[in-house]
CSV table of all heavy atoms in Angstrom, one decimal:
chain,number,residue,atom,x,y,z
Q,1,MET,N,14.0,-3.8,2.2
Q,1,MET,CA,14.3,-5.2,1.8
Q,1,MET,C,13.3,-5.7,0.9
Q,1,MET,O,12.1,-5.6,1.1
Q,1,MET,CB,14.4,-6.0,3.1
Q,1,MET,CG,14.6,-7.5,2.9
Q,1,MET,SD,14.4,-8.4,4.4
Q,1,MET,CE,13.8,-9.9,3.8
Q,2,TYR,N,13.8,-6.4,-0.2
Q,2,TYR,CA,12.8,-6.9,-1.2
Q,2,TYR,C,12.2,-8.2,-0.7
Q,2,TYR,O,12.9,-9.1,-0.2
Q,2,TYR,CB,13.5,-7.1,-2.5
Q,2,TYR,CG,13.8,-5.9,-3.3
Q,2,TYR,CD1,15.0,-5.4,-3.5
Q,2,TYR,CD2,12.7,-5.1,-3.8
Q,2,TYR,CE1,15.2,-4.2,-4.2
Q,2,TYR,CE2,12.9,-3.9,-4.5
Q,2,TYR,CZ,14.2,-3.5,-4.6
Q,2,TYR,OH,14.4,-2.3,-5.3
Q,3,ILE,N,10.9,-8.3,-0.8
Q,3,ILE,CA,10.2,-9.6,-0.5
Q,3,ILE,C,10.1,-10.4,-1.8
Q,3,ILE,O,10.4,-11.6,-1.8
Q,3,ILE,CB,8.8,-9.2,0.0
Q,3,ILE,CG1,8.9,-8.6,1.4
Q,3,ILE,CG2,7.9,-10.5,0.0
Q,3,ILE,CD1,9.5,-9.5,2.5
Q,4,CYS,N,9.7,-9.7,-2.9
Q,4,CYS,CA,9.6,-10.3,-4.2
Q,4,CYS,C,10.6,-9.7,-5.1
Q,4,CYS,O,10.4,-8.6,-5.6
Q,4,CYS,CB,8.1,-10.1,-4.7
Q,4,CYS,SG,7.8,-10.8,-6.3
Q,5,SER,N,11.6,-10.5,-5.4
Q,5,SER,CA,12.6,-9.9,-6.3
Q,5,SER,C,12.2,-10.0,-7.8
Q,5,SER,O,12.7,-9.2,-8.6
Q,5,SER,CB,14.0,-10.6,-6.1
Q,5,SER,OG,13.8,-12.0,-6.1
Q,6,CYS,N,11.3,-10.8,-8.1
Q,6,CYS,CA,10.8,-10.9,-9.5
Q,6,CYS,C,10.1,-9.6,-9.9
Q,6,CYS,O,10.3,-9.1,-11.0
Q,6,CYS,CB,9.8,-12.0,-9.7
Q,6,CYS,SG,10.5,-13.6,-9.6
Q,7,PHE,N,9.4,-9.0,-9.0
Q,7,PHE,CA,8.7,-7.7,-9.3
Q,7,PHE,C,9.2,-6.5,-8.5
Q,7,PHE,O,8.6,-5.4,-8.6
Q,7,PHE,CB,7.2,-7.9,-9.1
Q,7,PHE,CG,6.5,-8.9,-10.0
Q,7,PHE,CD1,6.3,-10.2,-9.6
Q,7,PHE,CD2,6.3,-8.5,-11.3
Q,7,PHE,CE1,5.7,-11.1,-10.5
Q,7,PHE,CE2,5.7,-9.4,-12.2
Q,7,PHE,CZ,5.4,-10.7,-11.8
Q,8,GLY,N,10.2,-6.7,-7.7
Q,8,GLY,CA,10.8,-5.6,-7.0
Q,8,GLY,C,9.9,-5.1,-5.9
Q,8,GLY,O,9.8,-3.9,-5.7
Q,9,ILE,N,9.2,-6.0,-5.3
Q,9,ILE,CA,8.2,-5.6,-4.2
Q,9,ILE,C,8.9,-5.6,-2.9
Q,9,ILE,O,9.4,-6.7,-2.5
Q,9,ILE,CB,6.9,-6.4,-4.3
Q,9,ILE,CG1,6.3,-6.5,-5.7
Q,9,ILE,CG2,5.9,-6.0,-3.2
Q,9,ILE,CD1,5.8,-5.1,-6.2
Q,10,THR,N,8.8,-4.6,-2.1
Q,10,THR,CA,9.4,-4.5,-0.8
Q,10,THR,C,8.4,-4.9,0.3
Q,10,THR,O,7.2,-4.9,0.1
Q,10,THR,CB,9.9,-3.1,-0.5
Q,10,THR,OG1,8.8,-2.2,-0.5
Q,10,THR,CG2,10.9,-2.6,-1.5
Q,11,GLU,N,9.0,-5.2,1.5
Q,11,GLU,CA,8.2,-5.6,2.6
Q,11,GLU,C,7.2,-4.4,2.9
Q,11,GLU,O,6.1,-4.6,3.2
Q,11,GLU,CB,9.1,-5.8,3.8
Q,11,GLU,CG,8.3,-6.1,5.1
Q,11,GLU,CD,9.2,-6.7,6.2
Q,11,GLU,OE1,10.4,-7.0,6.0
Q,11,GLU,OE2,8.7,-6.8,7.3
Q,12,GLN,N,7.8,-3.2,2.8
Q,12,GLN,CA,6.9,-2.0,3.0
Q,12,GLN,C,5.7,-2.0,2.1
Q,12,GLN,O,4.6,-1.7,2.6
Q,12,GLN,CB,7.8,-0.8,2.7
Q,12,GLN,CG,7.1,0.6,2.8
Q,12,GLN,CD,7.1,1.1,4.3
Q,12,GLN,OE1,7.9,0.5,5.1
Q,12,GLN,NE2,6.3,2.0,4.6
Q,13,GLN,N,5.9,-2.3,0.9
Q,13,GLN,CA,4.7,-2.3,-0.1
Q,13,GLN,C,3.7,-3.4,0.3
Q,13,GLN,O,2.5,-3.2,0.2
Q,13,GLN,CB,5.3,-2.5,-1.5
Q,13,GLN,CG,5.9,-1.3,-2.1
Q,13,GLN,CD,6.6,-1.6,-3.4
Q,13,GLN,OE1,7.6,-2.3,-3.5
Q,13,GLN,NE2,6.0,-1.2,-4.5
Q,14,VAL,N,4.2,-4.6,0.7
Q,14,VAL,CA,3.3,-5.7,1.1
Q,14,VAL,C,2.5,-5.2,2.3
Q,14,VAL,O,1.3,-5.4,2.3
Q,14,VAL,CB,4.1,-7.0,1.4
Q,14,VAL,CG1,3.2,-8.0,2.0
Q,14,VAL,CG2,4.8,-7.5,0.1
Q,15,ARG,N,3.2,-4.6,3.2
Q,15,ARG,CA,2.5,-4.1,4.4
Q,15,ARG,C,1.4,-3.1,4.1
Q,15,ARG,O,0.3,-3.0,4.6
Q,15,ARG,CB,3.4,-3.5,5.4
Q,15,ARG,CG,4.3,-4.5,6.2
Q,15,ARG,CD,5.1,-3.9,7.3
Q,15,ARG,NE,6.1,-4.8,7.7
Q,15,ARG,CZ,5.8,-5.9,8.5
Q,15,ARG,NH1,4.5,-6.1,8.9
Q,15,ARG,NH2,6.7,-6.7,8.9
Q,16,GLN,N,1.7,-2.2,3.1
Q,16,GLN,CA,0.8,-1.2,2.7
Q,16,GLN,C,-0.5,-1.8,2.1
Q,16,GLN,O,-1.6,-1.5,2.4
Q,16,GLN,CB,1.4,-0.2,1.7
Q,16,GLN,CG,2.2,0.9,2.4
Q,16,GLN,CD,3.0,1.7,1.4
Q,16,GLN,OE1,3.0,1.5,0.2
Q,16,GLN,NE2,3.8,2.6,1.9
Q,17,HIS,N,-0.3,-2.9,1.2
Q,17,HIS,CA,-1.4,-3.6,0.7
Q,17,HIS,C,-2.2,-4.3,1.7
Q,17,HIS,O,-3.4,-4.3,1.7
Q,17,HIS,CB,-0.9,-4.6,-0.4
Q,17,HIS,CG,-0.4,-3.9,-1.6
Q,17,HIS,ND1,-1.2,-3.0,-2.4
Q,17,HIS,CD2,0.8,-4.0,-2.3
Q,17,HIS,CE1,-0.4,-2.6,-3.4
Q,17,HIS,NE2,0.7,-3.2,-3.3
Q,18,ALA,N,-1.5,-4.9,2.7
Q,18,ALA,CA,-2.2,-5.5,3.8
Q,18,ALA,C,-3.0,-4.5,4.6
Q,18,ALA,O,-4.2,-4.8,5.0
Q,18,ALA,CB,-1.1,-6.2,4.7
Q,19,ASP,N,-2.5,-3.3,4.8
Q,19,ASP,CA,-3.2,-2.3,5.5
Q,19,ASP,C,-4.4,-1.9,4.8
Q,19,ASP,O,-5.5,-1.5,5.4
Q,19,ASP,CB,-2.3,-1.0,5.8
Q,19,ASP,CG,-1.3,-1.3,6.9
Q,19,ASP,OD1,-1.5,-2.2,7.6
Q,19,ASP,OD2,-0.4,-0.4,7.0
Q,20,SER,N,-4.4,-1.9,3.5
Q,20,SER,CA,-5.6,-1.5,2.7
Q,20,SER,C,-6.5,-2.7,2.4
Q,20,SER,O,-7.4,-2.6,1.6
Q,20,SER,CB,-5.2,-0.7,1.4
Q,20,SER,OG,-4.0,-1.2,0.9
Q,21,GLY,N,-6.3,-3.8,3.1
Q,21,GLY,CA,-7.3,-4.8,3.1
Q,21,GLY,C,-6.9,-6.2,2.5
Q,21,GLY,O,-7.7,-7.1,2.5
Q,22,ALA,N,-5.7,-6.3,2.0
Q,22,ALA,CA,-5.3,-7.6,1.4
Q,22,ALA,C,-4.9,-8.5,2.6
Q,22,ALA,O,-4.0,-8.2,3.3
Q,22,ALA,CB,-4.1,-7.4,0.5
Q,23,CYS,N,-5.6,-9.6,2.7
Q,23,CYS,CA,-5.4,-10.5,3.8
Q,23,CYS,C,-4.7,-11.8,3.4
Q,23,CYS,O,-4.3,-12.6,4.3
Q,23,CYS,CB,-6.7,-10.9,4.5
Q,23,CYS,SG,-7.5,-9.5,5.2
Q,24,THR,N,-4.6,-12.1,2.1
Q,24,THR,CA,-4.0,-13.4,1.7
Q,24,THR,C,-3.0,-13.1,0.6
Q,24,THR,O,-3.0,-12.1,0.0
Q,24,THR,CB,-5.1,-14.3,1.1
Q,24,THR,OG1,-5.6,-13.6,-0.1
Q,24,THR,CG2,-6.3,-14.5,2.1
Q,25,PRO,N,-2.0,-14.1,0.4
Q,25,PRO,CA,-1.1,-13.9,-0.6
Q,25,PRO,C,-1.7,-13.7,-2.0
Q,25,PRO,O,-1.2,-12.9,-2.8
Q,25,PRO,CB,-0.3,-15.2,-0.6
Q,25,PRO,CG,-0.4,-15.7,0.8
Q,25,PRO,CD,-1.8,-15.3,1.3
Q,26,ARG,N,-2.9,-14.3,-2.2
Q,26,ARG,CA,-3.6,-14.1,-3.5
Q,26,ARG,C,-4.0,-12.7,-3.6
Q,26,ARG,O,-4.0,-12.1,-4.7
Q,26,ARG,CB,-4.8,-15.0,-3.5
Q,26,ARG,CG,-5.6,-15.0,-4.8
Q,26,ARG,CD,-6.8,-15.8,-4.7
Q,26,ARG,NE,-6.4,-17.2,-4.6
Q,26,ARG,CZ,-6.6,-18.1,-5.6
Q,26,ARG,NH1,-7.1,-17.8,-6.7
Q,26,ARG,NH2,-6.3,-19.4,-5.4
Q,27,GLN,N,-4.5,-12.0,-2.6
Q,27,GLN,CA,-4.9,-10.6,-2.6
Q,27,GLN,C,-3.7,-9.7,-2.8
Q,27,GLN,O,-3.8,-8.7,-3.5
Q,27,GLN,CB,-5.7,-10.3,-1.4
Q,27,GLN,CG,-7.1,-10.9,-1.4
Q,27,GLN,CD,-7.8,-10.8,-0.1
Q,27,GLN,OE1,-7.2,-10.6,1.0
Q,27,GLN,NE2,-9.1,-10.9,-0.2
Q,28,ILE,N,-2.6,-10.1,-2.2
Q,28,ILE,CA,-1.4,-9.3,-2.4
Q,28,ILE,C,-1.0,-9.4,-3.9
Q,28,ILE,O,-0.6,-8.4,-4.5
Q,28,ILE,CB,-0.2,-9.8,-1.5
Q,28,ILE,CG1,-0.6,-9.6,0.0
Q,28,ILE,CG2,1.1,-9.2,-1.9
Q,28,ILE,CD1,-0.5,-8.2,0.4
Q,29,ALA,N,-1.1,-10.6,-4.4
Q,29,ALA,CA,-0.7,-10.9,-5.8
Q,29,ALA,C,-1.6,-10.0,-6.8
Q,29,ALA,O,-1.1,-9.4,-7.7
Q,29,ALA,CB,-0.8,-12.3,-6.2
Q,30,SER,N,-2.9,-9.9,-6.5
Q,30,SER,CA,-3.7,-9.2,-7.4
Q,30,SER,C,-3.5,-7.7,-7.2
Q,30,SER,O,-3.7,-6.9,-8.1
Q,30,SER,CB,-5.2,-9.5,-7.3
Q,30,SER,OG,-5.6,-9.3,-6.0
Q,31,ALA,N,-3.0,-7.3,-6.1
Q,31,ALA,CA,-2.7,-5.8,-5.8
Q,31,ALA,C,-1.4,-5.4,-6.5
Q,31,ALA,O,-1.3,-4.3,-7.0
Q,31,ALA,CB,-2.6,-5.5,-4.3
Q,32,CYS,N,-0.3,-6.3,-6.5
Q,32,CYS,CA,1.0,-5.8,-6.9
Q,32,CYS,C,1.8,-6.9,-7.7
Q,32,CYS,O,2.9,-6.7,-8.0
Q,32,CYS,CB,1.8,-5.3,-5.8
Q,32,CYS,SG,2.2,-6.6,-4.6
Q,33,LYS,N,1.1,-8.0,-8.0
Q,33,LYS,CA,1.8,-9.1,-8.7
Q,33,LYS,C,2.8,-10.0,-7.9
Q,33,LYS,O,3.2,-11.0,-8.4
Q,33,LYS,CB,2.4,-8.6,-10.0
Q,33,LYS,CG,1.5,-8.2,-11.1
Q,33,LYS,CD,2.3,-7.9,-12.3
Q,33,LYS,CE,1.4,-7.6,-13.5
Q,33,LYS,NZ,2.3,-7.4,-14.7
Q,34,ALA,N,3.1,-9.5,-6.7
Q,34,ALA,CA,4.1,-10.3,-6.0
Q,34,ALA,C,3.6,-11.7,-5.8
Q,34,ALA,O,2.5,-12.0,-5.4
Q,34,ALA,CB,4.3,-9.6,-4.6
Q,35,GLY,N,4.5,-12.7,-6.1
Q,35,GLY,CA,4.2,-14.1,-5.9
Q,35,GLY,C,3.7,-14.7,-7.1
Q,35,GLY,O,3.4,-15.9,-7.1
Q,36,THR,N,3.5,-14.0,-8.2
Q,36,THR,CA,2.9,-14.6,-9.4
Q,36,THR,C,3.9,-15.1,-10.5
Q,36,THR,O,3.5,-15.6,-11.5
Q,36,THR,CB,1.9,-13.6,-10.1
Q,36,THR,OG1,2.6,-12.4,-10.5
Q,36,THR,CG2,0.8,-13.2,-9.2
Q,37,ASP,N,5.2,-14.9,-10.2
Q,37,ASP,CA,6.2,-15.4,-11.1
Q,37,ASP,C,6.8,-16.7,-10.6
Q,37,ASP,O,6.3,-17.7,-10.9
Q,37,ASP,CB,7.2,-14.3,-11.4
Q,37,ASP,CG,8.0,-14.6,-12.7
Q,37,ASP,OD1,7.9,-15.8,-13.2
Q,37,ASP,OD2,8.8,-13.8,-13.1
Q,38,CYS,N,7.9,-16.6,-9.9
Q,38,CYS,CA,8.6,-17.8,-9.5
Q,38,CYS,C,7.9,-18.4,-8.2
Q,38,CYS,O,8.0,-19.6,-8.0
Q,38,CYS,CB,10.0,-17.6,-9.2
Q,38,CYS,SG,10.3,-16.7,-7.6
Q,39,GLY,N,7.2,-17.6,-7.5
Q,39,GLY,CA,6.4,-18.1,-6.3
Q,39,GLY,C,7.3,-18.3,-5.1
Q,39,GLY,O,6.7,-18.6,-4.0
Q,40,SER,N,8.6,-18.0,-5.1
Q,40,SER,CA,9.4,-18.2,-4.0
Q,40,SER,C,9.2,-17.2,-2.8
Q,40,SER,O,9.6,-17.5,-1.7
Q,40,SER,CB,10.9,-18.2,-4.4
Q,40,SER,OG,11.3,-16.9,-4.7
Q,41,CYS,N,8.5,-16.1,-3.1
Q,41,CYS,CA,8.3,-15.1,-2.1
Q,41,CYS,C,6.9,-15.4,-1.4
Q,41,CYS,O,6.7,-14.7,-0.4
Q,41,CYS,CB,8.3,-13.8,-2.7
Q,41,CYS,SG,7.0,-13.6,-4.0
Q,42,VAL,N,6.1,-16.3,-1.8
Q,42,VAL,CA,4.8,-16.5,-1.2
Q,42,VAL,C,4.9,-16.8,0.3
Q,42,VAL,O,4.1,-16.2,1.1
Q,42,VAL,CB,4.0,-17.6,-1.9
Q,42,VAL,CG1,2.7,-17.9,-1.2
Q,42,VAL,CG2,3.7,-17.1,-3.4
Q,43,ARG,N,5.8,-17.6,0.7
Q,43,ARG,CA,6.0,-17.9,2.1
Q,43,ARG,C,6.4,-16.6,2.9
Q,43,ARG,O,5.9,-16.4,4.0
Q,43,ARG,CB,7.1,-18.9,2.4
Q,43,ARG,CG,6.5,-20.3,2.2
Q,43,ARG,CD,7.6,-21.4,2.3
Q,43,ARG,NE,7.0,-22.7,2.3
Q,43,ARG,CZ,6.5,-23.3,3.3
Q,43,ARG,NH1,6.5,-22.7,4.5
Q,43,ARG,NH2,6.0,-24.5,3.2
Q,44,ARG,N,7.2,-15.8,2.3
Q,44,ARG,CA,7.6,-14.6,3.0
Q,44,ARG,C,6.4,-13.6,3.1
Q,44,ARG,O,6.2,-13.0,4.2
Q,44,ARG,CB,8.7,-13.9,2.3
Q,44,ARG,CG,10.1,-14.6,2.4
Q,44,ARG,CD,11.2,-13.7,1.9
Q,44,ARG,NE,11.2,-13.5,0.5
Q,44,ARG,CZ,11.8,-14.3,-0.4
Q,44,ARG,NH1,12.4,-15.4,0.0
Q,44,ARG,NH2,11.8,-14.1,-1.7
Q,45,ILE,N,5.6,-13.6,2.1
Q,45,ILE,CA,4.4,-12.8,2.1
Q,45,ILE,C,3.4,-13.3,3.2
Q,45,ILE,O,2.8,-12.5,4.0
Q,45,ILE,CB,3.7,-12.7,0.7
Q,45,ILE,CG1,4.6,-12.0,-0.3
Q,45,ILE,CG2,2.3,-12.1,0.8
Q,45,ILE,CD1,4.1,-12.1,-1.7
Q,46,GLN,N,3.3,-14.6,3.2
Q,46,GLN,CA,2.4,-15.2,4.2
Q,46,GLN,C,2.9,-14.9,5.7
Q,46,GLN,O,2.1,-14.6,6.5
Q,46,GLN,CB,2.4,-16.7,4.1
Q,46,GLN,CG,1.2,-17.2,3.3
Q,46,GLN,CD,1.3,-18.7,3.0
Q,46,GLN,OE1,2.4,-19.3,3.0
Q,46,GLN,NE2,0.2,-19.3,2.8
Q,47,ALA,N,4.2,-14.9,5.8
Q,47,ALA,CA,4.7,-14.6,7.2
Q,47,ALA,C,4.4,-13.1,7.6
Q,47,ALA,O,4.0,-12.9,8.7
Q,47,ALA,CB,6.2,-14.8,7.2
Q,48,ILE,N,4.5,-12.2,6.6
Q,48,ILE,CA,4.2,-10.8,6.9
Q,48,ILE,C,2.7,-10.7,7.2
Q,48,ILE,O,2.3,-10.0,8.2
Q,48,ILE,CB,4.5,-9.9,5.7
Q,48,ILE,CG1,6.0,-9.9,5.5
Q,48,ILE,CG2,4.0,-8.5,5.9
Q,48,ILE,CD1,6.5,-9.2,4.3
Q,49,LEU,N,1.8,-11.3,6.4
Q,49,LEU,CA,0.4,-11.2,6.7
Q,49,LEU,C,0.0,-11.9,8.0
Q,49,LEU,O,-0.8,-11.4,8.7
Q,49,LEU,CB,-0.4,-11.9,5.5
Q,49,LEU,CG,-0.2,-11.3,4.2
Q,49,LEU,CD1,-0.9,-12.2,3.1
Q,49,LEU,CD2,-0.8,-9.9,4.1
Q,50,GLY,N,0.7,-12.9,8.3
Q,50,GLY,CA,0.4,-13.6,9.6
Q,50,GLY,C,0.7,-12.8,10.8
Q,50,GLY,O,0.0,-13.0,11.8
Q,51,ARG,N,1.7,-11.9,10.7
Q,51,ARG,CA,2.1,-11.1,11.9
Q,51,ARG,C,1.1,-9.9,12.1
Q,51,ARG,O,0.9,-9.5,13.2
Q,51,ARG,CB,3.5,-10.6,11.7
Q,51,ARG,CG,4.5,-11.5,12.4
Q,51,ARG,CD,5.9,-10.9,12.3
Q,51,ARG,NE,6.6,-11.4,11.2
Q,51,ARG,CZ,7.3,-10.7,10.3
Q,51,ARG,NH1,7.4,-9.4,10.4
Q,51,ARG,NH2,8.0,-11.3,9.3
Q,52,GLY,N,0.6,-9.4,11.0
Q,52,GLY,CA,-0.3,-8.2,11.1
Q,52,GLY,C,-1.7,-8.6,11.5
Q,52,GLY,O,-2.2,-9.7,11.2
Q,53,ALA,N,-2.4,-7.7,12.1
Q,53,ALA,CA,-3.8,-7.9,12.5
Q,53,ALA,C,-4.6,-7.6,11.2
Q,53,ALA,O,-4.5,-6.6,10.7
Q,53,ALA,CB,-4.2,-7.0,13.6
Q,54,CYS,N,-5.4,-8.6,10.9
Q,54,CYS,CA,-6.3,-8.4,9.7
Q,54,CYS,C,-7.7,-8.8,10.1
Q,54,CYS,O,-8.0,-9.9,10.1
Q,54,CYS,CB,-5.8,-9.2,8.5
Q,54,CYS,SG,-6.8,-9.0,7.1
Q,55,PRO,N,-8.5,-7.8,10.3
Q,55,PRO,CA,-9.9,-8.1,10.8
Q,55,PRO,C,-10.7,-8.9,9.8
Q,55,PRO,O,-11.4,-9.8,10.2
Q,55,PRO,CB,-10.6,-6.7,10.9
Q,55,PRO,CG,-9.5,-5.7,10.7
Q,55,PRO,CD,-8.3,-6.4,10.2
Q,56,ARG,N,-10.5,-8.7,8.5
Q,56,ARG,CA,-11.3,-9.4,7.5
Q,56,ARG,C,-10.9,-10.9,7.5
Q,56,ARG,O,-11.7,-11.8,7.4
Q,56,ARG,CB,-11.1,-8.9,6.1
Q,56,ARG,CG,-11.9,-7.7,5.9
Q,56,ARG,CD,-12.0,-7.4,4.5
Q,56,ARG,NE,-11.6,-6.0,4.2
Q,56,ARG,CZ,-11.4,-5.5,3.0
Q,56,ARG,NH1,-11.5,-6.2,2.0
Q,56,ARG,NH2,-11.2,-4.2,2.9
Q,57,ARG,N,-9.6,-11.2,7.8
Q,57,ARG,CA,-9.2,-12.6,7.8
Q,57,ARG,C,-9.7,-13.3,9.0
Q,57,ARG,O,-10.2,-14.4,8.9
Q,57,ARG,CB,-7.7,-12.7,7.7
Q,57,ARG,CG,-7.3,-14.2,7.5
Q,57,ARG,CD,-5.8,-14.4,7.6
Q,57,ARG,NE,-5.2,-13.8,8.8
Q,57,ARG,CZ,-4.0,-13.4,8.9
Q,57,ARG,NH1,-3.2,-13.3,7.9
Q,57,ARG,NH2,-3.6,-12.9,10.1
Q,58,GLU,N,-9.8,-12.6,10.1
Q,58,GLU,CA,-10.3,-13.2,11.3
Q,58,GLU,C,-11.8,-13.5,11.1
Q,58,GLU,O,-12.3,-14.5,11.5
Q,58,GLU,CB,-10.2,-12.3,12.5
Q,58,GLU,CG,-8.8,-12.4,13.1
Q,58,GLU,CD,-8.5,-11.3,14.2
Q,58,GLU,OE1,-9.5,-10.9,14.8
Q,58,GLU,OE2,-7.4,-10.9,14.3
Q,59,LEU,N,-12.5,-12.6,10.5
Q,59,LEU,CA,-13.9,-12.8,10.1
Q,59,LEU,C,-14.1,-14.1,9.2
Q,59,LEU,O,-14.9,-14.9,9.4
Q,59,LEU,CB,-14.5,-11.6,9.4
Q,59,LEU,CG,-14.8,-10.4,10.3
Q,59,LEU,CD1,-15.4,-9.3,9.5
Q,59,LEU,CD2,-15.8,-10.8,11.4
Q,60,ALA,N,-13.2,-14.1,8.2
Q,60,ALA,CA,-13.2,-15.3,7.3
Q,60,ALA,C,-13.0,-16.6,8.1
Q,60,ALA,O,-13.6,-17.6,7.8
Q,60,ALA,CB,-12.2,-15.1,6.2
Q,61,ASP,N,-12.0,-16.5,9.0
Q,61,ASP,CA,-11.6,-17.7,9.7
Q,61,ASP,C,-12.8,-18.2,10.6
Q,61,ASP,O,-13.1,-19.3,10.8
Q,61,ASP,CB,-10.4,-17.5,10.6
Q,61,ASP,CG,-9.1,-17.5,9.8
Q,61,ASP,OD1,-9.2,-17.9,8.6
Q,61,ASP,OD2,-8.1,-17.0,10.4
Q,62,GLN,N,-13.5,-17.2,11.2
Q,62,GLN,CA,-14.5,-17.5,12.2
Q,62,GLN,C,-15.9,-17.8,11.5
Q,62,GLN,O,-16.8,-18.3,12.1
Q,62,GLN,CB,-14.7,-16.4,13.2
Q,62,GLN,CG,-13.5,-16.3,14.1
Q,62,GLN,CD,-13.5,-14.9,14.8
Q,62,GLN,OE1,-14.5,-14.2,14.8
Q,62,GLN,NE2,-12.5,-14.6,15.6
Q,63,GLY,N,-16.1,-17.3,10.3
Q,63,GLY,CA,-17.4,-17.2,9.6
Q,63,GLY,C,-18.0,-18.6,9.4
Q,63,GLY,O,-18.7,-19.1,10.2
Q,64,GLU,N,-17.8,-19.2,8.2
Q,64,GLU,CA,-18.6,-20.3,7.8
Q,64,GLU,C,-18.4,-21.6,8.6
Q,64,GLU,O,-19.3,-22.2,8.9
Q,64,GLU,CB,-18.3,-20.6,6.3
Q,64,GLU,CG,-18.9,-19.5,5.4
Q,64,GLU,CD,-18.9,-19.9,4.0
Q,64,GLU,OE1,-19.0,-21.1,3.7
Q,64,GLU,OE2,-18.6,-19.0,3.2
Q,65,PRO,N,-17.1,-21.9,9.0
Q,65,PRO,CA,-17.0,-23.1,9.8
Q,65,PRO,C,-17.9,-23.1,11.1
Q,65,PRO,O,-18.4,-24.1,11.5
Q,65,PRO,CB,-15.5,-23.1,10.2
Q,65,PRO,CG,-14.9,-22.3,9.1
Q,65,PRO,CD,-15.9,-21.2,8.8
Q,66,VAL,N,-18.0,-21.9,11.7
Q,66,VAL,CA,-18.8,-21.8,12.9
Q,66,VAL,C,-20.3,-22.2,12.6
Q,66,VAL,O,-20.9,-22.9,13.3
Q,66,VAL,CB,-18.7,-20.4,13.6
Q,66,VAL,CG1,-19.7,-20.3,14.7
Q,66,VAL,CG2,-17.3,-20.2,14.0
Q,67,LEU,N,-20.8,-21.6,11.5
Q,67,LEU,CA,-22.1,-21.8,11.1
Q,67,LEU,C,-22.3,-23.3,10.8
Q,67,LEU,O,-23.3,-23.9,11.1
Q,67,LEU,CB,-22.5,-21.0,9.8
Q,67,LEU,CG,-22.6,-19.5,10.1
Q,67,LEU,CD1,-22.8,-18.7,8.8
Q,67,LEU,CD2,-23.7,-19.2,11.1
Q,68,THR,N,-21.3,-23.9,10.1
Q,68,THR,CA,-21.4,-25.3,9.8
Q,68,THR,C,-21.5,-26.2,11.0
Q,68,THR,O,-22.4,-27.1,11.1
Q,68,THR,CB,-20.2,-25.7,9.0
Q,68,THR,OG1,-20.1,-24.9,7.8
Q,68,THR,CG2,-20.3,-27.2,8.5
Q,69,ASN,N,-20.7,-25.8,12.0
Q,69,ASN,CA,-20.7,-26.6,13.3
Q,69,ASN,C,-22.1,-26.4,14.0
Q,69,ASN,O,-22.6,-27.4,14.5
Q,69,ASN,CB,-19.7,-26.0,14.3
Q,69,ASN,CG,-18.3,-26.4,13.8
Q,69,ASN,OD1,-18.2,-27.4,13.0
Q,69,ASN,ND2,-17.3,-25.8,14.3
Q,70,LEU,N,-22.7,-25.2,13.9
Q,70,LEU,CA,-24.0,-25.1,14.5
Q,70,LEU,C,-25.0,-25.9,13.8
Q,70,LEU,O,-25.9,-26.6,14.4
Q,70,LEU,CB,-24.4,-23.6,14.4
Q,70,LEU,CG,-23.7,-22.6,15.4
Q,70,LEU,CD1,-24.2,-21.2,15.2
Q,70,LEU,CD2,-24.0,-23.1,16.9
Q,71,GLU,N,-24.9,-26.0,12.5
Q,71,GLU,CA,-25.9,-26.8,11.7
Q,71,GLU,C,-25.7,-28.3,12.1
Q,71,GLU,O,-26.7,-29.0,12.2
Q,71,GLU,CB,-25.7,-26.6,10.2
Q,71,GLU,CG,-26.4,-25.3,9.7
Q,71,GLU,CD,-25.9,-25.0,8.3
Q,71,GLU,OE1,-25.1,-25.7,7.8
Q,71,GLU,OE2,-26.4,-24.0,7.8
Q,72,ASP,N,-24.5,-28.7,12.3
Q,72,ASP,CA,-24.2,-30.1,12.6
Q,72,ASP,C,-24.8,-30.4,14.0
Q,72,ASP,O,-25.4,-31.5,14.2
Q,72,ASP,CB,-22.7,-30.4,12.6
Q,72,ASP,CG,-22.1,-30.4,11.2
Q,72,ASP,OD1,-22.9,-30.5,10.3
Q,72,ASP,OD2,-20.9,-30.4,11.1
Q,73,ALA,N,-24.7,-29.5,14.9
Q,73,ALA,CA,-25.2,-29.7,16.3
Q,73,ALA,C,-26.7,-29.8,16.3
Q,73,ALA,O,-27.2,-30.4,17.2
Q,73,ALA,CB,-24.6,-28.6,17.2
Q,74,ALA,N,-27.3,-29.1,15.4
Q,74,ALA,CA,-28.8,-28.9,15.5
Q,74,ALA,C,-29.6,-30.2,15.1
Q,74,ALA,O,-29.1,-31.2,14.7
Q,74,ALA,CB,-29.3,-27.8,14.6
S,1,FES,S1,10.2,-13.6,-5.9
S,1,FES,FE1,8.1,-13.1,-6.0
S,1,FES,S2,7.3,-14.2,-7.7
S,1,FES,FE2,9.5,-14.5,-7.7
């Protein structure tokens, strides 16, 4: 099934890019251009990324805000 019809990118391809470390629609876009034309597939890409486990995104989510909170508390 095509996720991005502008560039003919399938769900399978998006998952492969996610497996090799792309955690955000922007990273998917730089890997295969999906989402860089009409943009209507970005939500679908986000949905796929949201379902998969992505260690780097969890690190990014937990990283700086936690440090900022610690600084505020100190
Ligand atoms: S469907 Fe992906 S950019 Fe248009």
Side-chain angles (χ1 to χ4, degrees):
M1 174 186 152
Y2 285 112
I3 291 296
C4 177
S5 44
C6 291
F7 293 102
I9 305 298
T10 62
E11 177 169 350
Q12 178 86 12
Q13 284 172 288
V14 172
R15 285 188 193 285
Q16 278 169 2
H17 290 305
D19 284 347
S20 35
C23 296
T24 63
R26 185 184 294 251
Q27 288 169 337
I28 297 290
S30 58
C32 66
K33 289 188 170 181
T36 58
D37 193 350
C38 75
S40 69
C41 58
V42 173
R43 278 178 174 274
R44 288 194 289 274
I45 292 171
Q46 262 173 338
I48 292 172
L49 296 175
R51 267 185 263 135
C54 181
R56 281 196 230 170
R57 189 184 54 209
E58 278 171 29
L59 286 177
D61 284 349
Q62 292 167 6
E64 287 188 39
V66 175
L67 290 176
T68 305
N69 288 342
L70 286 177
E71 279 169 359
D72 286 347

